[in-house]
Amino acid sequence: MQVSSQGVTVVALLADPDAPTEIAQRMARTLSARLADKSGQERQFDVEVVSEPFTAGAEDPPTLMRRIMDRGSAENWDIVVALTDLPLHSHGRRLAVNLNHEHGLALLSLPSLGGLRLLTRARRAVEEAVLDMAGPHTTDTEGPPRGQPRPGPSVKRLAPVHPGRTDDEKETDDLRYVVSGPRGYLRVLAGMVRANRPWRLVPGLSKALAAALATGAVATVNSTVWNLAASLSTQRLVIAAVGSVAIMIGWLIIDADLWHRSAESSPEARQRARLYNASTVATVGIGVLVCYVGLMLINWVWALFILNDHVFASMTRTPLHAEEYVTLAWFVASVATVGGALGSGLESDEAIRAAAYSKREQERRRKLQNGQDE
């Protein structure tokens, strides 16, 4: 790693567009002061944020590290920490951090940090990587070798791989941290779902929501629906709810061709495809559940406003109490969700992908589709 002659360590946060750039910009506001405070050597740090799609067209860590190395060599940077929302894999394991101490490079995969407290975890990981690479070189008699970072709170949960420099010419790192096991899988999956921002699916499916709201409004004033809702048990209402949500999820994934099919047959490619598909199902599922709850609340308010207790009792032979309002709104939400699934067919595939995926994931899938077409 190069060291600035003026005693100031220049740290560049090279971030993919969208969420990684937002995190890097928020992190940079206090990162210089935090690094100077934690270094304990009266050092100064200057943090720059650079937003560019450095992962475009590539998913393998060696290629990305070479890109980061080339980008850093063209600038007056001492340390480069690259942030991406792309889940990275290496030798069949889910990669969290790649470190190259000689050139002062770090590659951080944000999904490996999970879906909660992402900014805090990312800031901690970046601080530890920077402080480790900015530390003084040591000899065997002075302490740990340069290629052995000081594990901090963030990396204690990560299993280190390649603790020394590798002999493989394709490798451009000297230490890796990975997340492993079921807990690691769930953490990466949660991070991928968070990167997709499933709550954006609700406003992104305007035609489907319009169809669902229209179906719900009509069903709420239909006496046949009243009788069905009054006669259904809780178990059947649950089955109707689960079935309608599953239909909506399946329809969106199939109609918009959201299912990932890997062109490669390697175990690592299949593992990556399973992870992408699991994140797709989770992302769409959360978005549909939010829509379902919203429909239920809207139908409940609509029923409170429009229903007459005498008419309802005469048609169903059941008094209209609070329980009947909830039951009717619940059943109508299931019916309206199926109507929304049909209405989603009016949405373009691009609109659904834009609502279901982050910009980075949209670009990745678009390039994958173009490659298959060629």
Side-chain angles (χ1 to χ4, degrees):
M1 184 200 76
Q2 300 177 350
V3 179
S4 298
S5 58
Q6 299 179 349
V8 179
T9 301
V10 180
V11 179
L13 299 180
L14 182 63
D16 264 334
D18 204 19
T21 296
E22 295 176 10
I23 292 175
Q25 291 174 342
R26 294 175 62 185
M27 187 189 309
R29 297 171 188 170
T30 59
L31 186 58
S32 298
R34 291 174 64 92
L35 289 172
D37 181 61
K38 290 186 176 183
S39 65
Q41 302 174 6
E42 297 183 357
R43 301 185 62 168
Q44 294 183 352
F45 293 84
D46 183 18
V47 178
E48 301 178 8
V49 177
V50 179
S51 177
E52 61 181 56
F54 70 93
T55 59
E59 295 186 35
D60 58 304
T63 299
L64 298 181
M65 290 294 284
R66 282 193 291 270
R67 289 183 180 181
I68 299 168
M69 189 182 303
D70 294 340
R71 186 69 175 86
S73 62
E75 302 288 344
N76 188 29
W77 297 334
D78 300 318
I79 296 175
V80 183
V81 181
L83 308 178
T84 179
D85 55 2
L86 184 69
L88 301 178
H89 293 76
S90 179
H91 304 293
R93 309 186 74 176
R94 290 171 286 276
L95 180 66
V97 184
N98 246 16
L99 296 173
N100 184 311
H101 293 79
E102 179 181 354
H103 298 280
L105 308 176
L107 173 61
L108 175 61
S109 175
L110 293 176
S112 67
L113 302 179
L116 301 176
R117 301 174 59 238
L118 181 58
L119 177 60
T120 300
R121 291 177 175 177
R123 180 171 56 228
R124 187 179 301 164
V126 170
E127 289 173 0
E128 291 171 1
V130 171
L131 292 175
D132 177 64
M133 291 187 291
H137 289 267
T138 59
T139 63
D140 292 340
T141 59
E142 294 174 336
R146 185 74 180 106
Q148 299 289 343
R150 298 179 297 271
S154 293
V155 299
K156 285 181 179 178
R157 304 187 190 95
L158 306 178
V161 178
H162 302 311
R165 183 174 298 279
T166 64
D167 296 328
D168 191 342
E169 294 181 354
K170 294 183 178 180
E171 302 297 341
T172 53
D173 56 2
D174 51 35
L175 192 73
R176 292 176 175 176
Y177 288 97
V178 302
V179 288
S180 56
R183 181 181 177 185
Y185 178 86
L186 292 176
R187 171 186 278 187
V188 174
L189 180 61
M192 294 176 65
V193 172
R194 187 189 190 281
N196 287 335
R197 301 178 181 180
W199 52 88
R200 299 188 307 182
L201 191 68
V202 180
L205 299 176
S206 57
K207 295 182 177 65
L209 285 176
L213 290 172
T215 302
V218 173
T220 302
V221 297
N222 188 289
S223 59
T224 303
V225 175
W226 298 351
N227 284 291
L228 284 173
S231 64
L232 290 176
S233 63
T234 302
Q235 291 80 0
R236 290 192 174 186
L237 287 171
V238 171
I239 293 174
V242 173
S244 63
V245 169
I247 290 173
M248 183 69 162
I249 294 173
W251 181 266
L252 288 174
I253 292 176
I254 294 173
D255 184 59
D257 195 21
L258 303 182
W259 197 254
H260 177 80
R261 298 175 181 84
S262 177
E264 304 176 17
S265 59
S266 64
E268 187 169 326
R270 290 196 298 268
Q271 182 187 42
R272 189 163 54 241
R274 286 194 295 268
L275 187 61
Y276 278 124
N277 288 329
S279 69
T280 296
V281 173
T283 299
V284 176
I286 292 174
V288 171
L289 283 175
V290 172
C291 291
Y292 186 92
V293 173
L295 286 172
M296 186 173 175
L297 291 175
I298 292 173
N299 291 329
W300 178 70
V301 173
W302 174 241
L304 287 175
F305 174 77
I306 202 68
L307 293 186
N308 181 281
D309 53 349
H310 296 295
V311 175
F312 185 90
S314 65
M315 297 298 297
T316 64
R317 298 181 180 179
T318 303
L320 185 58
H321 299 309
E323 182 180 353
E324 280 66 40
Y325 279 110
V326 173
T327 300
L328 179 61
W330 187 359
F331 180 63
V332 169
S334 300
V335 176
T337 300
V338 176
L342 299 177
S344 66
L346 301 175
E347 303 278 4
S348 66
D349 292 350
E350 287 298 323
I352 296 177
R353 293 192 187 102
Y357 294 132
S358 64
K359 292 181 180 179
R360 175 65 185 84
E361 180 64 9
Q362 292 177 55
E363 293 175 1
R364 189 193 70 81
R365 289 176 177 260
R366 190 179 301 114
K367 291 181 178 180
L368 179 65
Q369 183 64 38
N370 293 338
Q372 291 176 348
D373 294 340
E374 294 174 358

